[in-house]
Amino acid sequence: MIAEAGLALLWFAAALALLQLFAGAMSLGRLADGDFAGIVRPAAIIQGPLVGLSFLMLVWLFLRTDLSVLLVAANSHSAKPFIFKLAGTWGNHEGSMLLWVTVMALSGSFVALVERRLPERTMIATLAAQAFVSLGFYAFLLFSSNPFERLPRPVPEGNGLNPLLQDIGLAFHPPTLYIGYVGLSVAFSFAVGALLTREVGPAFARAMRPWVLGSWIFLTVGITAGSYWAYYELGWGGWWFWDPVENASLMPWLAATALLHSASVLVSRDALRTWTLMLGVVAFSMSMVGTFLVRSGILTSVHAFAVDPERGSFILALLAIYIGGALALFGARASTVSEGKQFSLVSREAGLVFNNVALSAILGIVLLGTLYPLLTEAFDTKVSVGPPYFNPVGAIFAIPMIVVMAIGPLLRWRRDSFGRITKILVLPAVLTALVLAGAAVLVPGIGILPLLGLGLSLGLGIGSLLPLVGRDLRRTPLPTWGMVVGHFGLAVALFGMASESAFSTEKLVAAKAGDTVTVGPWSVELAGVEPVAGPNWTALEANMIARYQGGAPITLHPQSRNFTQPPMTTSESALSTRWNGQLYAVLGEQGLDGRWQLRLWWKPFVPLIWLGGFLIALGGALALVGRVMGDVRRGAQRRRIEMRRENNPLPGAVPEPAE
């Protein structure tokens, strides 16, 4: 009965979403009195717990390995460890879409429950838009991808989970990305609601900003974790390949970054109104495009684990309805929304606009490069687009954007002059020039992009700390700390990327027990290879003894792991991390002469890539906490003022007659 109850809850939630949309439309269209408006919030609030309970029922079915349910039988196995039974809930098409709907419904509930800053009509329009988006995904689950479908008779054993997904990193990577994707649906609904009522201003941006910031934090964590998972789990030694699935998560992150900064300008200076609305639509559009690319199987990827062309068409139809409708609404209403206050070309607003344009250009480059193979395939020509396109073309906009990132936070709002900040920028400019010159001389043959990356990372690192100079650090607002930590995190990540590209050393050899291989400052001895067994796999495990510059020995144990259900062989790399880099070892196959293929890398400063990602997310979290605390404080002050006015009315004020 658990499966049937979970499905029934989904139907109830879908009915509530329909009621929420109907009541919202009636209220906005003034086709009825205010009674309909009073239905919208309760309908949204109740939906979240219903869908959340439905999702928990699916989790319970996976934990029990209920093999009478088609989804469990196809994606789980009784011998799997507990954590991967849990992760199996969202490691497939139907479960991941139910997770999507759950996050969307809980977000809608929370918005309806706590958001009181917007005018009531805009709030009703926002919740109606959220219901409209939710209804499409309810229909998708109930008519195309039912996660609770029963088998005619239970099977004796399940098919298991894709072995590449049986890793703790990927077990929790999809939920973080999904929270990020779906959080942007709330920003989309806010934008549509504001377009419908034409009420766009600081209050609208203040209400939308925490959702954008929260989504952006989860996207940052998800992308960073996914990058590290691909680095150590796939055994190829790289951390980013411009794969379509990687791009699918990067595109909404780029749009959300631009939207976040645009919303800040709207809150602080009441400017960029239509631009903020447009980015609200684009950010969720990129989430939908990414979902379509991942789920449809229209593009091949090592990261795509649950593809279905037929159901991908359903998502494409949703994409056309939501994004096409929103863009049409934007086209019809944008001219009626004033752009807001003006600002000088030399001001903090101008810097943010410049970086918004650069982020949008990079987003366009990634989107074009991701979809270009599809366009050429329509003319029977197969091409692949990779780093030779993305790296140099993206750098055209990324390099000036990083320069402006270092300077922009030092500028004043509304109007400023470069003369005021010239002295402050001398130190980072000189150090950047010295690093560029030193690296060009000491490392002959270094590529231009790694060279620029090293120099710019140093300049941005110093520049990101300058807004703290002269401040009382204990009284510095959390959002300012968030900006500093986030920008510094990008500098750290950029330094790691440039170092990995410039200084990595690779060695591919065939070795027998007792052989020693040198890679960079490391010497690595293959002591032997032995069979080992895990809970649902067997493996051949190498025993390696590595020494850094002839120092103390450490052991590494890379594996070639075999799964029987489903049958698959994976490479489990072994890593040794030092303060200045990482040794990376992979065990390959055994040749006819008894030698083992070994692949070894020395990657200087590569961990800084993920440390930088963590710092960027931490900066976002500090800013979010600071913003929410500020909003709570302002709300409490407003309530105190209202209470004082009620208790002490102004002289001469006429009290309202009692009903």
Side-chain angles (χ1 to χ4, degrees), residues 129-145:
Q130 185 74 1
F132 183 60
V133 175
S134 300
L135 269 176
F137 286 94
Y138 284 129
F140 181 64
L141 274 175
L142 294 171
F143 300 123
S144 175
S145 303

Side-chain angles (χ1 to χ4, degrees), residues 460-462 464-465 483-493 612 615-616:
L460 177 59
I462 297 172
S464 62
L465 299 176
M483 176 192 69
V484 169
V485 173
H487 287 189
F488 187 75
L490 182 61
V492 171
L615 288 174
I616 294 169

Side-chain angles (χ1 to χ4, degrees), residues 274-299:
T274 51
W275 180 247
T276 303
L277 290 173
M278 183 67 184
L279 286 175
V281 173
V282 169
F284 183 57
S285 304
M286 291 301 105
S287 294
M288 292 287 294
V289 168
T291 304
F292 168 69
L293 291 176
V294 173
R295 295 297 174 203
S296 66
I298 198 167
L299 291 171

Side-chain angles (χ1 to χ4, degrees), residues 495-545:
F495 186 81
M497 296 172 197
S499 296
E500 197 268 348
S501 298
F503 309 125
S504 282
T505 308
E506 179 182 3
K507 191 70 70 73
L508 174 62
V509 298
K512 64 179 186 301
D515 284 353
T516 298
V517 183
T518 301
V519 56
W522 289 88
S523 62
V524 182
E525 178 190 350
L526 177 63
V529 178
E530 296 179 350
V532 295
N536 61 339
W537 48 264
T538 59
L540 291 171
E541 181 179 277
N543 182 20
M544 295 179 173
I545 302 172

Side-chain angles (χ1 to χ4, degrees), residues 184 212 216 219 249-262 278-287 356 359-360 363:
L184 292 177
V212 181
W216 182 83
L219 280 175
S249 62
L250 179 63
M251 289 187 289
W253 185 87
L254 290 168
T257 306
L259 174 59
L260 188 60
H261 290 85
S262 177
M278 183 67 184
L279 286 175
V281 173
V282 169
F284 183 57
S285 304
M286 291 301 105
S287 294
N356 256 241
L359 283 166
S360 302
L363 170 59

Side-chain angles (χ1 to χ4, degrees), residues 223 240 242 246-258 275 279 282 286 352-371 385-386 389-405 449 456 490 494 497:
I223 292 170
W240 194 266
W242 297 105
E246 294 173 339
N247 296 348
S249 62
L250 179 63
M251 289 187 289
W253 185 87
L254 290 168
T257 306
W275 180 247
L279 286 175
V282 169
M286 291 301 105
L352 288 167
V353 168
F354 181 89
N355 277 3
N356 256 241
V357 173
L359 283 166
S360 302
I362 296 170
L363 170 59
I365 290 165
V366 177
L367 181 64
L368 178 63
T370 306
L371 297 181
V385 180
Y389 160 75
F390 288 106
N391 289 346
V393 179
I396 293 172
F397 297 94
I399 290 171
M401 183 185 76
I402 291 169
V403 173
V404 174
M405 273 183 70
L449 288 182
L456 288 173
L490 182 61
L494 182 60
M497 296 172 197

